[in-house]
Amino acid sequence: MSEQQDTPPRVGIVLVSHSKEVADSVARLAVGLAAGRDSAPVEGAGGTPDGGLGTSAELISAAAHKVDSGAGVAILVDLGSAVLTVKVLLAEGDELPENAQLVDAPLVEGAIAAVVASAGGADLEEVAAAAEEAYHFRKV
């Protein structure tokens, strides 16, 4: 009997920002602090396809499908219109993976908590809860 070499599917994380640089930087930070190359699948979906500021349904959808391994996709966002874009995608029902979920969490702290939880094997509900718990991280 051979030993299983593959890691089990992990919850994917999509970080939506109005800025490509912000989304990609937060993704790198979360992966670097969480587990490096053994991390959960994480993608930034920032800005518009032409590199401008804003949100893009197409970029969000592509990122969600890229990180989807069957364990779920947690989507964290920065500002209001990003929330609306993701809600529209979820309502349409066919643009995002079936198991995608908008998570009510701060982008930076939530991303780090989500990636750590997913890298540790947490399911989608646990990943979302870890990210949401980041609202309670006191700084003073």
Side-chain angles (χ1 to χ4, degrees), residues 101 103 124-134:
Q101 176 180 332
V103 177
L124 181 57
E125 184 177 311
E126 294 166 326
V127 168
E132 290 168 1
E133 183 67 25

Side-chain angles (χ1 to χ4, degrees), residues 1-20:
M1 184 185 281
S2 66
E3 188 172 277
Q4 177 76 0
Q5 296 295 327
D6 297 334
T7 59
R10 294 184 178 151
V11 173
I13 315 292
V14 175
L15 306 175
V16 181
S17 173
H18 284 68
S19 163
K20 176 176 177 31

Side-chain angles (χ1 to χ4, degrees), residues 67-138:
V67 300
D68 182 26
S69 65
V73 177
I75 304 172
L76 286 76
V77 301
D78 63 358
L79 302 170
S81 64
V83 173
L84 294 176
T85 302
V86 172
K87 284 184 174 183
V88 167
L89 288 169
L90 288 167
E92 289 175 356
D94 61 350
E95 297 296 319
L96 295 173
E98 183 177 322
N99 52 0
Q101 176 180 332
L102 176 61
V103 177
D104 184 17
L107 185 65
V108 176
E109 295 91 336
I112 294 165
V115 172
V116 168
S118 179
D123 66 20
L124 181 57
E125 184 177 311
E126 294 166 326
V127 168
E132 290 168 1
E133 183 67 25
Y135 272 127
H136 303 290
F137 295 164
R138 303 294 306 172

